[in-house]
């Protein structure tokens, strides 16, 4: 297969390296708004550097259309690139989000649906072994009636200040992963949210109109209560967990000897010797698994495991959280367009 990849920043380079090792990929074509960056990554991965335009026309260095495109560009470019790929008949894997707002997301989805093409979104937690086991436990009734879910995403350090105004905010950029995996693991929809946030940390968050820490209470459609929390300032390390409590049992995802958590009990576990430093290390196998799944989707061997509508559902929850934080009230999902 010939795979085109757009965007050779941190996650794009990670994906390029994974694709270069994949036995189904015969040729890898890398493009970036910064051609020199694409060229450097191409040297590292044995790929070919091409212009973005070439991937959609088959001209120039592309020498024909690729079989599929992987989009890892700046978020602001996602929707336009998805639309171009759809019109060219190219299956697309795109890192989340489709767009930072509902109108942009819905417009891109309309392009995909009109073309009848494939769009798989990069919610990598669906491919993590722990979350997969939790989903199976819920579906099989091993926990009994699920009454409480607690999820957290804690980054060890804030991103660069220049990134914040482009990120969409903590709910859309970070907690959107928790919103997606909450739906996927429980098999339920969110009925109502109540969200709050704090900008008491670094001043750059206040300057960007964002928060550095947030908490959300979500009521699922069967009455299950869920909480999600996130922070950009967790100095202990990268901490992503989910705890599911039912009438029969409890289960935790992300609890291992690298979880950056220290027990206060005299005989409890101490700080981990090697805490998770970031998302690429914590979810490396999941990132590779989602790309493998995409290639299987392109070859017709697998149904799309995370299509664009899944991203829409998660974004709608994030939008409800923004309204809730701003207006200091519960927000029903029926208030959010696109359902």
């Amino acid at each position: 297969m010939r795979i085109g990849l757009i965007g050779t920043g941190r996650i794009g380079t990670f994906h390029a390296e994974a694709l270069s090792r994949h036995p189904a990929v015969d040729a890898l074509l890398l493009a970036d708004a910064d051609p020199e960056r694409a060229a450097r990554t191409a040297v590292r991965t044995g790929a070919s550097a091409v212009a973005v335009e070439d991937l959609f026309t088959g001209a120039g260095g592309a020498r024909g259309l690729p079989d599929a495109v992987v989009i890892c560009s700046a978020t602001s470019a996602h929707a336009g690139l998805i639309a171009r790929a759809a019109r060219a008949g190219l299956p697309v894997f795109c890192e989340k989000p489709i767009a930072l707002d509902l109108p942009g997301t819905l417009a891109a989805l309309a392009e995909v649906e009109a073309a009848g093409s494939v769009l798989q979104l990069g919610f990598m937690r669906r491919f993590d072994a722990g979350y997969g086991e939790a989903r199976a436990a819920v579906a099989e009734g091993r926990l009994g009636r699920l009454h409480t879910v607690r999820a957290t995403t804690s980054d060890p350090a804030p991103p660069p200040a220049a990134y914040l105004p482009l990120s969409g905010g903590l709910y859309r950029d970070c907690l959107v992963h928790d919103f997606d995996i909450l739906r996927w693991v429980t098999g339920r929809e969110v009925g109502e949210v109540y969200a709050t946030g704090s900008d008491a940390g670094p001043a750059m968050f206040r300057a960007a109109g964002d928060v550095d820490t947030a908490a959300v209470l979500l009521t699922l459609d069967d009455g299950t209560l869920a909480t999600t929390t996130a922070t950009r300032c967790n100095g202990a390390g990268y901490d992503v967990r989910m705890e599911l409590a039912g009438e029969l049992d409890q289960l935790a995802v992300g609890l291992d000897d690298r979880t950056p958590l220290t027990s206060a009990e005299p005989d409890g576990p101490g700080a981990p010797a090697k805490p998770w430093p970031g998302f690429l290390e914590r979810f490396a196998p999941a990132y590779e698994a989602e790309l493998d799944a995409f290639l299987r989707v392109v070859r017709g061997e697998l149904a799309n495991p995370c299509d664009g509508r899944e991203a829409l559902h998660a974004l709608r929850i994030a939008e409800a959280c923004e309204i809730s934080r701003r207006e200091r009230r519960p927000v029903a999902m029926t208030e959010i367009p696109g359902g």
Side-chain angles (χ1 to χ4, degrees):
M1 301 175 69
R2 300 175 73 250
I3 304 299
L5 183 146
I6 304 172
T8 51
R10 181 167 56 162
I11 190 62
T13 297
F14 186 91
H15 284 331
E17 291 172 347
L19 289 167
S20 71
R21 297 190 299 267
H22 199 286
V25 177
D26 302 311
L28 183 60
L29 311 173
L30 306 183
D32 195 291
D34 179 353
E36 291 185 4
R37 186 166 69 171
R40 290 194 298 269
T41 305
V43 170
R44 288 175 52 185
T45 58
S48 299
V50 302
V52 173
E53 184 71 22
D54 293 347
L55 292 178
F56 299 112
T57 63
R63 298 176 185 173
L65 290 176
D67 295 301
V69 172
V70 174
I71 297 174
C72 309
S73 63
T75 295
S76 59
H78 286 187
L81 292 172
I82 289 170
R84 292 194 67 185
R87 292 194 289 269
L90 295 173
V92 170
F93 173 93
C94 184
E95 278 299 326
K96 65 85 187 168
I98 293 175
L100 289 177
D101 58 21
L102 286 173
T105 299
L106 291 168
L109 289 176
E111 292 271 10
V112 172
E113 290 171 6
S117 58
V118 170
L119 171 60
Q120 181 180 325
L121 261 292
F123 282 114
M124 77 292 186
R125 295 186 195 182
R126 294 182 176 220
F127 298 87
D128 176 76
Y131 285 107
E133 172 61 18
R135 185 176 194 242
V138 172
E140 294 165 11
R142 283 186 262 147
L143 305 182
R145 182 186 67 86
L146 195 64
H147 53 75
T148 308
V149 182
R150 297 176 287 270
T152 188
T153 294
S154 300
D155 289 332
Y163 173 75
L164 293 179
L166 309 175
S167 71
L170 192 60
Y171 300 103
R172 298 187 188 95
D173 181 54
C174 184
L175 276 167
V176 72
H177 280 290
D178 296 88
F179 302 149
D180 175 72
I181 205 64
L182 175 65
R183 295 180 57 251
W184 189 75
V185 167
T186 65
R188 311 303 310 190
E189 297 296 340
V190 174
E192 182 182 87
V193 308
Y194 186 85
T196 188
S198 170
D199 62 3
M204 64 182 182
F205 289 95
R206 293 186 289 280
D210 196 6
V211 294
D212 59 78
T213 303
V216 186
L217 172 64
L218 308 100
T219 303
L220 306 190
D221 58 10
D222 65 347
T224 300
L225 296 181
T227 59
T228 63
T229 62
T231 184
R232 301 287 199 184
C233 307
N234 195 59
Y238 182 70
D239 187 11
V240 171
R241 281 177 287 125
M242 173 181 275
E243 300 168 4
L244 301 108
E247 291 182 337
L248 297 180
D249 204 354
Q250 293 192 107
L251 190 65
V253 179
L255 183 61
D256 58 24
D257 61 2
R258 299 190 67 180
T259 304
L261 192 65
T262 302
S263 174
E265 300 299 329
D267 298 324
K274 191 178 179 182
W276 293 111
F279 64 91
L280 286 179
E281 295 83 2
R282 165 66 176 85
F283 288 109
Y287 278 118
E288 295 210 17
E290 70 178 356
L291 283 179
D292 178 72
F294 175 62
L295 297 180
R296 293 172 61 197
V297 169
V298 173
R299 296 198 301 265
E301 300 170 0
L302 183 72
N304 192 340
C306 188
D307 68 22
R309 287 284 163 186
E310 300 299 292
L312 174 62
H313 290 308
L315 178 61
R316 290 180 65 245
I317 298 170
E319 291 288 322
C321 289
E322 288 287 2
I323 295 171
S324 178
R325 179 176 73 91
R326 184 171 63 248
E327 300 182 3
R328 296 179 178 271
R329 67 175 179 90
V331 175
M333 290 307 301
T334 52
E335 299 180 46
I336 309 302

